[in-house]
Amino acid sequence: KLGRCYAADVMDMDLPEALMPYGGDILLLHGERDRIVPISYSEGAIAAWKRRQDSGRSILMHAHPRAGHGFSAAADRWAMAKIVDFLA
């Protein structure tokens, strides 16, 4: 279980800025029914990332139409398949 400090730090995080030092390609998986972190957060991060970087690295997002913030077993399987494809 994550504590209050983690939540406070994440709420103020600039995701594109936090990702910039990372040297590889990026995969984001998001549930379209997430009420804690709206999908617009990931969409905004992708747009900002594309504006800020020119290194040839890529960022890819997949959205699960029925998943919320916590993925179900079915959404977990979907996510794992997306991760395996991304890493292949």
Side-chain angles (χ1 to χ4, degrees):
K1 192 170 185 180
L2 300 174
R4 186 173 298 196
C5 290
Y6 174 81
D9 288 344
V10 172
M11 294 301 277
D12 294 329
M13 180 187 291
D14 179 347
L15 185 56
E17 190 65 34
L19 294 174
M20 289 307 292
Y22 177 67
D25 295 335
I26 296 169
L27 173 66
L28 298 175
L29 302 175
H30 207 114
E32 288 183 8
R33 295 183 179 178
D34 191 335
R35 292 187 178 144
I36 296 172
V37 180
I39 196 166
S40 60
Y41 188 75
S42 288
E43 293 166 340
I46 289 170
W49 169 265
K50 288 180 177 179
R51 285 191 306 271
R52 293 183 188 178
Q53 68 93 25
D54 60 358
S55 65
R57 295 176 289 166
S58 66
I59 187 166
L60 176 66
M61 183 180 87
H62 293 287
H64 192 290
R66 291 176 303 282
H69 190 73
F71 283 12
S72 65
D76 280 346
R77 288 190 295 276
W78 167 87
M80 291 305 289
K82 297 296 183 191
I83 293 167
V84 168
D85 287 346
F86 180 75
L87 295 174

